[in-house]
Amino acid sequence: VQEKAIQEATANAKSNNIKNCQFMAASAEAIFKSPPKIKLEGFEDQRVQDFPRDKTVVVLDPPRKGCSEEFLKQLYEYSPQRVVYMSCGPNTQARDAKGIVEIGGYEITSIQPYDLFP
């Protein structure tokens, strides 16, 4: 994740008075192992892997090559309540979704294609 995207997302949350989220730049492969410290008030000593799985949603927006096997393995082990997957690479999204369903045990409840480059 680019630092500029973090700054923009943080500013957007602030302008919409959203206070229960934090955006962080980190390698996807490190997010569950050694993520940056959380700066959100009241959560300073927590790490992503400490979040309650039954209340956590992981939003994925990988590069065109899709998610790495290392990241997906950690995602399956962490097993959040919900996974939201956005993609500009439908082939790799289909590949990753297959694993998310078959290995991760998730169910696809909605798919919404959208052409970002008409």
Side-chain angles (χ1 to χ4, degrees):
V1 174
Q2 295 179 353
E3 191 59 39
K4 183 169 174 45
I6 299 301
Q7 293 168 358
E8 291 172 353
T10 301
N12 189 27
K14 185 176 181 180
S15 70
N16 286 289
N17 202 29
I18 297 172
K19 299 177 182 175
N20 64 343
C21 64
Q22 179 183 342
F23 305 93
M24 54 181 84
S27 161
E29 290 78 15
I31 197 74
F32 297 110
K33 290 182 180 177
S34 58
K37 288 187 177 182
I38 296 170
K39 300 173 187 168
L40 192 62
E41 188 174 329
F43 295 91
E44 294 89 350
D45 295 326
Q46 286 192 339
R47 298 281 188 186
V48 171
Q49 65 267 31
D50 298 329
F51 289 176
R53 293 174 165 115
D54 62 332
K55 297 178 183 177
T56 300
V57 176
V58 174
V59 179
L60 306 176
D61 185 9
R64 289 183 191 265
K65 67 181 180 177
C67 296
S68 72
E69 286 296 321
E70 182 182 358
F71 171 77
L72 289 173
K73 182 179 177 190
Q74 291 179 54
L75 179 69
Y76 305 149
E77 290 172 3
Y78 179 69
S79 190
Q81 177 213 14
R82 182 176 301 158
V83 175
V84 176
Y85 192 123
M86 301 177 290
S87 176
C88 59
N91 293 337
T92 53
Q93 183 180 30
R95 178 202 68 206
D96 292 347
K98 181 178 181 186
I100 290 169
V101 169
E102 293 178 359
I103 300 169
Y106 291 90
E107 175 183 334
I108 296 175
T109 59
S110 176
I111 296 177
Q112 178 61 55
Y114 185 80
D115 188 357
L116 296 173
F117 307 103

